[in-house]
Amino acid sequence: MESLLSLEPQMNSKALRWERHFAATVSRLEAAPTQTTLYYYRQDGTARDPLLLKMLGSIFVSALRMGRRVLTLSMFLYAAALSGCMVGPDFRPPQMTVPANWIEAVPTAPAELPDVDLARWWTVFDDPILVAIEDRAIRSNLDLRQAEARIRQARAARGIAGSGLGPTVDAGGAIQRSRSPGLSSNWQGGETRGVVSNSYDAGFDAGWELDLFGGIRRNIEAADADLQAAVESRRDVLVTLTAEVARNYIELRAFQQRIEIARQNLATQQHSARLTRQRFEGGFVSGLDVANADAQVATTESQIPFLEAAARQSIYALGILLGREPAALVAELSPASAIPAAPPSTPAGLPSDLLRRRPDIRRAEADIHAATARIGVVTAELFPKFTITGSAGMRSGDFSSWLTSAQQFWSFGPSVSWRVFDTGRTRSAIEQQEALQEQALIAYRQTVLTALQEVENALIASAKEQERRQSLASAVTANRKAVSLAKTLYTEGQTDFLNVLDAQRSLFLTEETLVLSTSAMSTDLVALYKAIGGGWSEEAETADWKN
């Protein structure tokens, strides 16, 4: 007995404390079972006899007497059930080989991650507005709150599964008056009369299934895995949310920069158009130069409304990510600001870090655990089920004798049931769960491969975008010089207006492309931190869903 109870020290400690309280309650009620009474009064104020609580007290004392006799046996059987075998396979974490290093890692970058808090990776951009928006999104995003509700749902499901290890107790009562026809005869009157009878019944029924083969414990194990999967899903939503907020914010600043460039080029082109018209009026150029100048002004001017609409849509997207109405951030984010600059070094750690860091991989592993445990749940159906049942109460056909000890009853005893034939249903259910486990394992491997691909994609995109931006910066410098020379030569009559138009178009194109490249470098860094699973930590997780 002692060795069996030692298997669950915490649970049995609570059970022993409950047993002592149980025994003390029995002793008090047995000493004075009718002290607690309920009186009710006639209309004239005189008291009637004690009623329902006296009856219920007697019933409860009867149940407690029975319970005290069987409590020790029940505790022993409970401990024996906990120490019983558990059918079905045990879960083992999946093993998958990953590369030792990234293919696209920068050779000069350190092998380890820099001193960056991955839970708050967006702080590397050194943009206070971005940091504030990220914090507000974490507090109020609706997808995140929905994921937290799913955690509470999974935790409640785990509580339901855990309740299977304990007993169930039902209380009930009934008062019935009935008439049976034709059961007695009035020989003098020559007629047959029915008999009217009363029935008074109240008591408790209890049942306790012993988990000798581990089916209930496997169900609890599966529920624990489902709970862990829900936690990892919430973390995955958090990773995606923080990345989406940063991406939309960077795109907004890029649109604002492109609007500013378009307006600057528009002003330059409008100045060139006025100069060309003056030269046309002086007879120095043809009307073709004026038409070309006006066409370029109109073309550049037509792009500004498109960019303004795109910028406003980015603000709307950020409002939704913060769980607010789309226009909530218009006043706050409409003033233009610089694109958050990405730091030059973007190391990504080691590929093996993904298996511990990425929430979707951790969730896929939890799904395998749940599928494995459910094989044991259905396998337990092949074995017999042992149940302890009991009942206690009072039953009488006469209300005046209902509360007497002679009308008390109780029963207690074990029962066994075993489904010996079900036309292969249980075997098929086991095969079904084994197939689901295989699917979960394949999904895990696919998730790992996808994660590796996402990191490699982000690394190569970041490295090549840095090279591209350097070339674009040189092109912008050269095009600005070309525009200045073309305008000077055109004013002096040494070249035609087409060279001015070409130089201005090239400058506008390269300036806008440079802004897009700057934005791409920052979004590539966002994609990298998302790919390595940044954006969460156990320490930063709020207590409103963990507790």
Side-chain angles (χ1 to χ4, degrees), residues 97-175:
T97 303
V98 296
N101 293 290
W102 301 110
I103 299 174
E104 303 296 342
V106 180
T108 58
E112 298 295 331
L113 283 169
D115 187 16
V116 174
D117 182 8
L118 286 180
R120 296 177 59 81
W121 53 262
W122 49 89
T123 58
V124 302
F125 291 106
D126 196 21
D127 189 317
I129 298 178
L130 174 60
V131 172
I133 292 177
E134 290 279 9
D135 292 340
R136 289 155 64 185
I138 293 173
R139 290 194 301 268
S140 59
N141 178 261
L142 298 181
D143 289 334
L144 195 60
R145 291 171 62 184
Q146 193 174 49
E148 291 168 2
R150 284 193 288 266
I151 292 177
R152 293 190 288 272
Q153 176 187 358
R155 186 180 292 115
R158 198 276 178 206
I160 295 173
S163 66
L165 287 176
T168 60
V169 179
D170 298 320
I175 299 177

Side-chain angles (χ1 to χ4, degrees), residues 244-275:
E244 283 299 301
V245 169
R247 185 183 63 81
N248 279 276
Y249 180 80
I250 293 169
E251 288 181 352
L252 167 64
R253 296 313 186 191
F255 283 127
Q256 291 174 340
Q257 292 295 310
R258 292 172 64 187
I259 292 171
E260 185 64 24
I261 290 173
R263 288 172 176 169
Q264 291 174 1
N265 277 273
L266 177 61
T268 300
Q269 293 165 8
Q270 287 173 339
H271 175 73
S272 298
R274 288 194 299 269
L275 178 62

